[in-house]
Structures are given as structure tokens and as C-alpha cells.
CSV table of all heavy atoms in Angstrom, one decimal:
chain,number,residue,atom,x,y,z
A,1,MET,N,42.7,11.3,-50.4
A,1,MET,CA,44.1,11.4,-50.0
A,1,MET,C,44.3,12.5,-49.0
A,1,MET,O,43.6,13.6,-49.1
A,1,MET,CB,45.0,11.6,-51.2
A,1,MET,CG,46.5,11.2,-50.9
A,1,MET,SD,47.3,10.9,-52.5
A,1,MET,CE,46.9,9.2,-52.7
A,2,CYS,N,45.1,12.3,-48.0
A,2,CYS,CA,45.2,13.3,-46.9
A,2,CYS,C,45.8,14.6,-47.4
A,2,CYS,O,46.8,14.6,-48.1
A,2,CYS,CB,46.2,12.7,-45.8
A,2,CYS,SG,46.6,13.9,-44.5
A,3,LYS,N,45.2,15.7,-47.0
A,3,LYS,CA,45.7,17.0,-47.4
A,3,LYS,C,46.0,17.9,-46.1
A,3,LYS,O,46.0,19.1,-46.2
A,3,LYS,CB,44.6,17.7,-48.2
A,3,LYS,CG,44.5,17.1,-49.6
A,3,LYS,CD,43.8,18.0,-50.6
A,3,LYS,CE,43.8,17.5,-52.0
A,3,LYS,NZ,43.1,16.2,-52.1
A,4,CYS,N,46.1,17.2,-45.0
A,4,CYS,CA,46.4,18.0,-43.8
A,4,CYS,C,47.8,18.7,-43.9
A,4,CYS,O,48.7,18.1,-44.4
A,4,CYS,CB,46.4,17.0,-42.6
A,4,CYS,SG,44.9,16.2,-42.3
A,5,PRO,N,47.8,19.9,-43.4
A,5,PRO,CA,49.1,20.6,-43.6
A,5,PRO,C,50.2,20.0,-42.7
A,5,PRO,O,51.4,20.1,-43.0
A,5,PRO,CB,48.8,22.1,-43.1
A,5,PRO,CG,47.5,21.9,-42.3
A,5,PRO,CD,46.8,20.7,-42.9
A,6,LYS,N,49.8,19.5,-41.6
A,6,LYS,CA,50.8,18.9,-40.7
A,6,LYS,C,50.4,17.5,-40.2
A,6,LYS,O,49.3,17.3,-39.7
A,6,LYS,CB,51.0,19.8,-39.5
A,6,LYS,CG,52.5,20.1,-39.3
A,6,LYS,CD,52.8,21.0,-38.2
A,6,LYS,CE,54.4,21.0,-38.2
A,6,LYS,NZ,54.9,22.0,-37.4
A,7,VAL,N,51.2,16.5,-40.5
A,7,VAL,CA,50.9,15.2,-40.1
A,7,VAL,C,52.1,14.7,-39.2
A,7,VAL,O,53.3,14.9,-39.5
A,7,VAL,CB,50.8,14.3,-41.3
A,7,VAL,CG1,50.5,12.8,-40.8
A,7,VAL,CG2,49.7,14.8,-42.2
A,8,HIS,N,51.8,14.2,-38.0
A,8,HIS,CA,52.8,13.6,-37.2
A,8,HIS,C,52.9,12.1,-37.3
A,8,HIS,O,51.9,11.5,-37.6
A,8,HIS,CB,52.5,14.0,-35.7
A,8,HIS,CG,52.6,15.5,-35.5
A,8,HIS,ND1,53.8,16.1,-35.4
A,8,HIS,CD2,51.6,16.4,-35.4
A,8,HIS,CE1,53.6,17.4,-35.2
A,8,HIS,NE2,52.3,17.6,-35.2
A,9,PHE,N,54.1,11.6,-37.1
A,9,PHE,CA,54.3,10.2,-37.2
A,9,PHE,C,53.3,9.4,-36.4
A,9,PHE,O,52.8,8.3,-36.8
A,9,PHE,CB,55.8,9.9,-36.8
A,9,PHE,CG,56.2,8.5,-37.1
A,9,PHE,CD1,56.3,8.0,-38.4
A,9,PHE,CD2,56.4,7.6,-36.1
A,9,PHE,CE1,56.6,6.7,-38.7
A,9,PHE,CE2,56.8,6.3,-36.3
A,9,PHE,CZ,56.9,5.9,-37.6
A,10,TYR,N,53.1,9.8,-35.2
A,10,TYR,CA,52.2,9.0,-34.3
A,10,TYR,C,50.8,9.1,-34.6
A,10,TYR,O,49.9,8.4,-34.0
A,10,TYR,CB,52.5,9.4,-32.8
A,10,TYR,CG,52.2,10.9,-32.5
A,10,TYR,CD1,50.9,11.4,-32.3
A,10,TYR,CD2,53.3,11.8,-32.5
A,10,TYR,CE1,50.7,12.7,-32.1
A,10,TYR,CE2,53.1,13.1,-32.2
A,10,TYR,CZ,51.8,13.6,-32.0
A,10,TYR,OH,51.6,14.9,-31.8
A,11,GLU,N,50.4,9.9,-35.6
A,11,GLU,CA,49.0,10.0,-36.0
A,11,GLU,C,48.8,9.1,-37.2
A,11,GLU,O,47.6,9.0,-37.8
A,11,GLU,CB,48.7,11.4,-36.5
A,11,GLU,CG,48.7,12.4,-35.3
A,11,GLU,CD,48.6,13.9,-35.8
A,11,GLU,OE1,48.7,14.1,-37.1
A,11,GLU,OE2,48.6,14.8,-35.0
A,12,ILE,N,49.8,8.4,-37.6
A,12,ILE,CA,49.6,7.6,-38.8
A,12,ILE,C,49.5,6.1,-38.5
A,12,ILE,O,50.2,5.6,-37.6
A,12,ILE,CB,50.8,7.7,-39.8
A,12,ILE,CG1,51.1,9.2,-40.0
A,12,ILE,CG2,50.6,7.0,-41.1
A,12,ILE,CD1,52.4,9.5,-40.6
A,13,GLU,N,48.6,5.4,-39.2
A,13,GLU,CA,48.4,4.0,-39.0
A,13,GLU,C,49.1,3.3,-40.2
A,13,GLU,O,48.7,3.6,-41.3
A,13,GLU,CB,46.9,3.7,-38.9
A,13,GLU,CG,46.6,2.3,-38.4
A,13,GLU,CD,45.1,2.2,-38.4
A,13,GLU,OE1,44.4,2.9,-37.7
A,13,GLU,OE2,44.6,1.4,-39.3
A,14,PHE,N,50.0,2.4,-39.9
A,14,PHE,CA,50.6,1.6,-41.0
A,14,PHE,C,50.2,0.2,-41.0
A,14,PHE,O,50.0,-0.4,-39.9
A,14,PHE,CB,52.2,1.7,-40.8
A,14,PHE,CG,52.8,3.0,-40.9
A,14,PHE,CD1,53.2,3.7,-39.8
A,14,PHE,CD2,53.0,3.6,-42.2
A,14,PHE,CE1,53.7,5.0,-39.9
A,14,PHE,CE2,53.6,4.8,-42.3
A,14,PHE,CZ,53.9,5.5,-41.2
A,15,LYS,N,49.9,-0.3,-42.2
A,15,LYS,CA,49.5,-1.7,-42.3
A,15,LYS,C,50.3,-2.3,-43.5
A,15,LYS,O,50.6,-1.6,-44.5
A,15,LYS,CB,48.0,-1.8,-42.6
A,15,LYS,CG,47.2,-1.9,-41.4
A,15,LYS,CD,45.8,-2.4,-41.8
A,15,LYS,CE,45.0,-1.4,-42.7
A,15,LYS,NZ,43.7,-1.8,-43.0
A,16,LEU,N,50.6,-3.5,-43.3
A,16,LEU,CA,51.3,-4.2,-44.4
A,16,LEU,C,50.3,-4.9,-45.3
A,16,LEU,O,49.4,-5.6,-44.8
A,16,LEU,CB,52.3,-5.3,-43.8
A,16,LEU,CG,53.8,-4.9,-43.8
A,16,LEU,CD1,54.5,-6.1,-43.3
A,16,LEU,CD2,54.3,-4.4,-45.1
A,17,ASP,N,50.4,-4.7,-46.6
A,17,ASP,CA,49.5,-5.3,-47.5
A,17,ASP,C,50.4,-6.1,-48.5
A,17,ASP,O,50.8,-5.5,-49.5
A,17,ASP,CB,48.6,-4.3,-48.2
A,17,ASP,CG,47.7,-4.9,-49.3
A,17,ASP,OD1,47.4,-6.2,-49.2
A,17,ASP,OD2,47.3,-4.2,-50.2
A,18,GLY,N,50.7,-7.3,-48.3
A,18,GLY,CA,51.6,-8.0,-49.1
A,18,GLY,C,53.0,-7.4,-48.9
A,18,GLY,O,53.5,-7.3,-47.8
A,19,MET,N,53.6,-6.9,-50.0
A,19,MET,CA,54.9,-6.2,-49.9
A,19,MET,C,54.7,-4.7,-49.8
A,19,MET,O,55.7,-4.0,-49.7
A,19,MET,CB,55.7,-6.6,-51.2
A,19,MET,CG,56.1,-8.0,-51.3
A,19,MET,SD,57.1,-8.6,-49.9
A,19,MET,CE,58.6,-7.7,-50.1
A,20,ARG,N,53.5,-4.2,-49.8
A,20,ARG,CA,53.3,-2.8,-49.8
A,20,ARG,C,52.9,-2.4,-48.4
A,20,ARG,O,52.3,-3.1,-47.6
A,20,ARG,CB,52.2,-2.4,-50.7
A,20,ARG,CG,52.6,-2.5,-52.2
A,20,ARG,CD,51.4,-2.2,-53.1
A,20,ARG,NE,50.8,-0.8,-52.8
A,20,ARG,CZ,49.5,-0.6,-52.7
A,20,ARG,NH1,48.7,-1.6,-52.8
A,20,ARG,NH2,49.1,0.6,-52.4
A,21,ILE,N,53.3,-1.1,-48.0
A,21,ILE,CA,52.9,-0.6,-46.8
A,21,ILE,C,51.8,0.4,-47.0
A,21,ILE,O,51.9,1.4,-47.8
A,21,ILE,CB,54.1,0.1,-46.1
A,21,ILE,CG1,55.2,-0.9,-45.8
A,21,ILE,CG2,53.6,0.8,-44.8
A,21,ILE,CD1,56.5,-0.2,-45.4
A,22,ILE,N,50.7,0.2,-46.4
A,22,ILE,CA,49.5,1.1,-46.5
A,22,ILE,C,49.6,2.1,-45.3
A,22,ILE,O,49.7,1.7,-44.2
A,22,ILE,CB,48.2,0.3,-46.4
A,22,ILE,CG1,48.2,-0.8,-47.4
A,22,ILE,CG2,47.0,1.3,-46.7
A,22,ILE,CD1,48.2,-0.4,-48.9
A,23,SER,N,49.5,3.4,-45.6
A,23,SER,CA,49.6,4.3,-44.5
A,23,SER,C,48.3,5.1,-44.5
A,23,SER,O,47.7,5.5,-45.5
A,23,SER,CB,50.8,5.3,-44.7
A,23,SER,OG,50.7,5.8,-46.0
A,24,LYS,N,47.8,5.4,-43.3
A,24,LYS,CA,46.5,6.1,-43.1
A,24,LYS,C,46.7,7.1,-42.0
A,24,LYS,O,47.2,6.8,-41.0
A,24,LYS,CB,45.4,5.1,-42.8
A,24,LYS,CG,44.0,5.8,-43.0
A,24,LYS,CD,42.9,4.7,-42.7
A,24,LYS,CE,42.5,4.8,-41.2
A,24,LYS,NZ,41.4,3.9,-40.9
A,25,HIS,N,46.2,8.4,-42.3
A,25,HIS,CA,46.2,9.4,-41.3
A,25,HIS,C,45.0,9.2,-40.4
A,25,HIS,O,43.9,9.3,-40.9
A,25,HIS,CB,46.3,10.8,-41.9
A,25,HIS,CG,46.5,11.9,-41.0
A,25,HIS,ND1,46.1,13.2,-41.2
A,25,HIS,CD2,47.1,11.9,-39.8
A,25,HIS,CE1,46.4,13.9,-40.1
A,25,HIS,NE2,47.1,13.2,-39.3
A,26,LYS,N,45.2,9.0,-39.1
A,26,LYS,CA,44.1,8.7,-38.2
A,26,LYS,C,43.2,9.9,-38.1
A,26,LYS,O,42.0,9.7,-37.9
A,26,LYS,CB,44.6,8.3,-36.8
A,26,LYS,CG,45.3,6.9,-36.8
A,26,LYS,CD,45.8,6.6,-35.4
A,26,LYS,CE,46.8,5.5,-35.4
A,26,LYS,NZ,47.5,5.4,-34.1
A,27,ASN,N,43.7,11.1,-38.1
A,27,ASN,CA,42.9,12.3,-37.9
A,27,ASN,C,41.9,12.5,-38.9
A,27,ASN,O,40.7,12.9,-38.6
A,27,ASN,CB,43.8,13.5,-37.8
A,27,ASN,CG,44.7,13.5,-36.5
A,27,ASN,OD1,45.0,12.5,-36.0
A,27,ASN,ND2,45.1,14.7,-36.1
A,28,CYS,N,42.2,12.2,-40.2
A,28,CYS,CA,41.2,12.5,-41.2
A,28,CYS,C,40.7,11.2,-41.9
A,28,CYS,O,39.7,11.2,-42.6
A,28,CYS,CB,41.8,13.4,-42.3
A,28,CYS,SG,43.2,12.7,-43.1
A,29,GLY,N,41.4,10.1,-41.6
A,29,GLY,CA,41.0,8.8,-42.1
A,29,GLY,C,41.4,8.6,-43.6
A,29,GLY,O,41.0,7.6,-44.2
A,30,ASP,N,42.2,9.5,-44.1
A,30,ASP,CA,42.6,9.3,-45.5
A,30,ASP,C,44.0,8.8,-45.6
A,30,ASP,O,44.8,8.9,-44.7
A,30,ASP,CB,42.5,10.7,-46.2
A,30,ASP,CG,41.1,11.1,-46.5
A,30,ASP,OD1,40.3,10.3,-46.7
A,30,ASP,OD2,40.9,12.3,-46.5
A,31,ALA,N,44.3,8.2,-46.7
A,31,ALA,CA,45.6,7.7,-47.0
A,31,ALA,C,46.6,8.8,-47.2
A,31,ALA,O,46.2,9.9,-47.7
A,31,ALA,CB,45.6,6.8,-48.2
A,32,LEU,N,47.9,8.6,-46.8
A,32,LEU,CA,48.9,9.6,-47.0
A,32,LEU,C,49.2,9.7,-48.5
A,32,LEU,O,49.2,8.7,-49.2
A,32,LEU,CB,50.1,9.3,-46.2
A,32,LEU,CG,50.1,9.3,-44.7
A,32,LEU,CD1,51.5,9.2,-44.2
A,32,LEU,CD2,49.4,10.5,-44.2
A,33,SER,N,49.6,10.9,-48.9
A,33,SER,CA,50.1,11.0,-50.3
A,33,SER,C,51.5,10.4,-50.3
A,33,SER,O,52.2,10.2,-49.3
A,33,SER,CB,50.2,12.5,-50.7
A,33,SER,OG,51.2,13.2,-49.9
A,34,GLU,N,52.0,10.2,-51.5
A,34,GLU,CA,53.3,9.6,-51.6
A,34,GLU,C,54.4,10.5,-51.1
A,34,GLU,O,55.3,10.0,-50.4
A,34,GLU,CB,53.6,9.3,-53.1
A,34,GLU,CG,54.6,8.2,-53.4
A,34,GLU,CD,54.5,7.7,-54.8
A,34,GLU,OE1,53.4,7.5,-55.3
A,34,GLU,OE2,55.5,7.4,-55.3
A,35,VAL,N,54.3,11.8,-51.2
A,35,VAL,CA,55.3,12.7,-50.7
A,35,VAL,C,55.3,12.6,-49.2
A,35,VAL,O,56.4,12.6,-48.6
A,35,VAL,CB,54.9,14.1,-51.2
A,35,VAL,CG1,55.9,15.1,-50.6
A,35,VAL,CG2,54.9,14.2,-52.7
A,36,GLN,N,54.1,12.6,-48.6
A,36,GLN,CA,54.0,12.5,-47.1
A,36,GLN,C,54.6,11.2,-46.6
A,36,GLN,O,55.4,11.1,-45.7
A,36,GLN,CB,52.6,12.6,-46.6
A,36,GLN,CG,52.0,14.0,-46.7
A,36,GLN,CD,50.5,13.9,-46.5
A,36,GLN,OE1,49.8,13.1,-47.1
A,36,GLN,NE2,50.0,14.8,-45.7
A,37,PHE,N,54.3,10.2,-47.4
A,37,PHE,CA,54.7,8.8,-46.9
A,37,PHE,C,56.3,8.7,-47.0
A,37,PHE,O,56.9,8.1,-46.0
A,37,PHE,CB,54.1,7.8,-47.8
A,37,PHE,CG,54.6,6.4,-47.4
A,37,PHE,CD1,54.2,5.8,-46.2
A,37,PHE,CD2,55.4,5.7,-48.3
A,37,PHE,CE1,54.6,4.6,-45.9
A,37,PHE,CE2,55.9,4.4,-47.9
A,37,PHE,CZ,55.5,3.9,-46.7
A,38,ILE,N,56.9,9.3,-48.0
A,38,ILE,CA,58.3,9.2,-48.1
A,38,ILE,C,59.0,9.8,-46.9
A,38,ILE,O,60.0,9.3,-46.4
A,38,ILE,CB,58.8,9.8,-49.4
A,38,ILE,CG1,58.4,8.9,-50.6
A,38,ILE,CG2,60.3,10.1,-49.4
A,38,ILE,CD1,58.5,9.7,-51.9
A,39,GLU,N,58.4,10.9,-46.4
A,39,GLU,CA,59.0,11.5,-45.2
A,39,GLU,C,59.0,10.6,-44.0
A,39,GLU,O,59.9,10.7,-43.1
A,39,GLU,CB,58.1,12.8,-44.8
A,39,GLU,CG,58.5,14.0,-45.6
A,39,GLU,CD,57.7,15.2,-45.2
A,39,GLU,OE1,57.7,15.4,-43.9
A,39,GLU,OE2,57.1,15.9,-46.0
A,40,PHE,N,58.0,9.8,-43.9
A,40,PHE,CA,57.8,8.9,-42.7
A,40,PHE,C,58.4,7.6,-42.9
A,40,PHE,O,58.5,6.8,-41.9
A,40,PHE,CB,56.3,8.8,-42.3
A,40,PHE,CG,55.7,10.1,-41.9
A,40,PHE,CD1,54.8,10.8,-42.7
A,40,PHE,CD2,56.2,10.7,-40.7
A,40,PHE,CE1,54.2,12.0,-42.3
A,40,PHE,CE2,55.6,11.9,-40.3
A,40,PHE,CZ,54.7,12.6,-41.1
A,41,GLU,N,58.7,7.2,-44.1
A,41,GLU,CA,59.2,5.9,-44.4
A,41,GLU,C,60.4,5.5,-43.6
A,41,GLU,O,60.6,4.4,-43.0
A,41,GLU,CB,59.5,5.7,-45.9
A,41,GLU,CG,59.5,4.2,-46.3
A,41,GLU,CD,59.7,4.1,-47.8
A,41,GLU,OE1,60.0,5.1,-48.4
A,41,GLU,OE2,59.5,3.0,-48.3
A,42,LYS,N,61.4,6.5,-43.5
A,42,LYS,CA,62.6,6.2,-42.7
A,42,LYS,C,62.3,5.9,-41.3
A,42,LYS,O,62.9,5.0,-40.7
A,42,LYS,CB,63.6,7.4,-42.9
A,42,LYS,CG,64.4,7.3,-44.1
A,42,LYS,CD,65.5,8.3,-44.1
A,42,LYS,CE,66.2,8.3,-45.5
A,42,LYS,NZ,66.6,9.7,-45.9
A,43,GLN,N,61.4,6.7,-40.7
A,43,GLN,CA,61.1,6.5,-39.3
A,43,GLN,C,60.4,5.1,-39.1
A,43,GLN,O,60.7,4.5,-38.1
A,43,GLN,CB,60.1,7.6,-38.8
A,43,GLN,CG,60.8,8.9,-38.6
A,43,GLN,CD,59.8,10.0,-38.3
A,43,GLN,OE1,59.4,10.7,-39.1
A,43,GLN,NE2,59.4,10.1,-37.0
A,44,LEU,N,59.6,4.8,-40.0
A,44,LEU,CA,58.9,3.5,-39.9
A,44,LEU,C,59.9,2.3,-40.0
A,44,LEU,O,59.8,1.4,-39.3
A,44,LEU,CB,57.9,3.4,-41.1
A,44,LEU,CG,57.1,2.1,-41.1
A,44,LEU,CD1,56.1,2.0,-39.9
A,44,LEU,CD2,56.3,1.9,-42.4
A,45,VAL,N,60.8,2.5,-40.9
A,45,VAL,CA,61.9,1.4,-41.1
A,45,VAL,C,62.6,1.2,-39.8
A,45,VAL,O,62.9,0.1,-39.4
A,45,VAL,CB,62.8,1.8,-42.3
A,45,VAL,CG1,64.1,0.9,-42.2
A,45,VAL,CG2,62.1,1.6,-43.6
A,46,LYS,N,62.9,2.3,-39.1
A,46,LYS,CA,63.6,2.2,-37.8
A,46,LYS,C,62.7,1.6,-36.8
A,46,LYS,O,63.2,0.7,-36.0
A,46,LYS,CB,63.9,3.7,-37.3
A,46,LYS,CG,65.4,4.1,-37.5
A,46,LYS,CD,65.6,5.3,-36.8
A,46,LYS,CE,66.8,6.1,-37.4
A,46,LYS,NZ,66.8,7.5,-36.8
A,47,LEU,N,61.5,2.0,-36.8
A,47,LEU,CA,60.6,1.5,-35.8
A,47,LEU,C,60.3,0.0,-35.9
A,47,LEU,O,60.3,-0.8,-35.0
A,47,LEU,CB,59.2,2.2,-35.9
A,47,LEU,CG,58.1,1.9,-34.9
A,47,LEU,CD1,58.5,2.7,-33.6
A,47,LEU,CD2,56.8,2.4,-35.4
A,48,TRP,N,60.2,-0.4,-37.2
A,48,TRP,CA,59.9,-1.9,-37.4
A,48,TRP,C,61.2,-2.7,-37.5
A,48,TRP,O,61.2,-3.9,-37.6
A,48,TRP,CB,59.1,-2.0,-38.8
A,48,TRP,CG,57.7,-1.7,-38.6
A,48,TRP,CD1,57.1,-1.2,-37.5
A,48,TRP,CD2,56.7,-1.7,-39.6
A,48,TRP,NE1,55.7,-1.0,-37.7
A,48,TRP,CE2,55.5,-1.3,-39.0
A,48,TRP,CE3,56.7,-2.2,-40.9
A,48,TRP,CZ2,54.3,-1.3,-39.7
A,48,TRP,CZ3,55.5,-2.1,-41.6
A,48,TRP,CH2,54.3,-1.7,-41.1
A,49,GLY,N,62.3,-2.0,-37.5
A,49,GLY,CA,63.6,-2.7,-37.6
A,49,GLY,C,63.9,-3.4,-38.9
A,49,GLY,O,64.6,-4.4,-39.0
A,50,ILE,N,63.3,-2.8,-40.0
A,50,ILE,CA,63.6,-3.3,-41.3
A,50,ILE,C,64.6,-2.5,-42.0
A,50,ILE,O,64.5,-1.2,-41.9
A,50,ILE,CB,62.3,-3.3,-42.2
A,50,ILE,CG1,61.0,-3.2,-41.4
A,50,ILE,CG2,62.3,-4.6,-43.1
A,50,ILE,CD1,59.9,-2.8,-42.3
A,51,GLU,N,65.6,-3.1,-42.6
A,51,GLU,CA,66.6,-2.3,-43.3
A,51,GLU,C,66.3,-2.5,-44.8
A,51,GLU,O,66.2,-3.7,-45.3
A,51,GLU,CB,68.0,-2.8,-43.0
A,51,GLU,CG,68.4,-2.4,-41.6
A,51,GLU,CD,68.6,-0.9,-41.4
A,51,GLU,OE1,69.0,-0.2,-42.3
A,51,GLU,OE2,68.4,-0.4,-40.2
A,52,SER,N,66.2,-1.5,-45.6
A,52,SER,CA,66.1,-1.6,-47.0
A,52,SER,C,67.5,-1.8,-47.6
A,52,SER,O,68.3,-0.9,-47.4
A,52,SER,CB,65.3,-0.4,-47.6
A,52,SER,OG,65.8,0.8,-47.1
A,53,LYS,N,67.7,-2.9,-48.4
A,53,LYS,CA,69.0,-3.1,-48.9
A,53,LYS,C,69.0,-3.0,-50.4
A,53,LYS,O,67.9,-3.1,-51.0
A,53,LYS,CB,69.4,-4.5,-48.5
A,53,LYS,CG,69.9,-4.6,-47.1
A,53,LYS,CD,70.0,-6.0,-46.6
A,53,LYS,CE,70.2,-6.0,-45.1
A,53,LYS,NZ,70.0,-7.4,-44.5
B,101,LIG,ZN1,45.2,13.9,-42.7
């Protein structure tokens, strides 16, 4: 799991796995922690144009 002190949105690779979103930090190749992911989830929703209802 990624332990980088600073992760930028554009450094993350998102993939859809069924209903789940898999996030990976490109710089270290590790998956984001849940805390990190929650921070970026809103931006991702905007980017992909999905609204959570
Ligand atoms: Zn990282």
C-alpha cells in the first residue's frame, strides 16, 4: 500500500473492477490506502461524470 507523503491526482491510475474502483499510485506502483482514496474519490467522480446517488 502506498505510503507516499504526497500524492497528486494526476499520479494515480484508476481502473474499474466490476463495481469497485482500483486506484494505483504510478510513482511507487502501490495501491492507495482507503484514506488517500477517499480524498480523490470526489475528483474522480467529477472527472468521470458519475454522480453517486
Ligand atoms: Zn505512492
Side-chain angles (χ1 to χ4, degrees):
M1 204 157 271
C2 172
K3 290 193 171 69
C4 301
K6 231 177 176 168
V7 181
H8 294 283
F9 186 68
Y10 56 83
E11 293 169 355
I12 308 165
E13 194 182 292
F14 293 103
K15 269 196 299 185
L16 261 183
D17 177 26
M19 293 303 288
R20 287 176 58 226
I21 300 168
I22 309 290
S23 53
K24 193 178 92 178
H25 189 206
K26 289 178 196 167
N27 290 25
C28 62
D30 287 329
L32 295 191
S33 70
E34 206 161 318
V35 178
Q36 286 169 314
F37 178 70
I38 286 164
E39 276 185 52
F40 294 113
E41 198 177 14
K42 275 191 186 143
Q43 285 174 265
L44 179 70
V45 165
K46 257 191 205 167
L47 185 78
W48 283 3
I50 340 165
E51 293 289 330
S52 44
K53 281 165 193 167

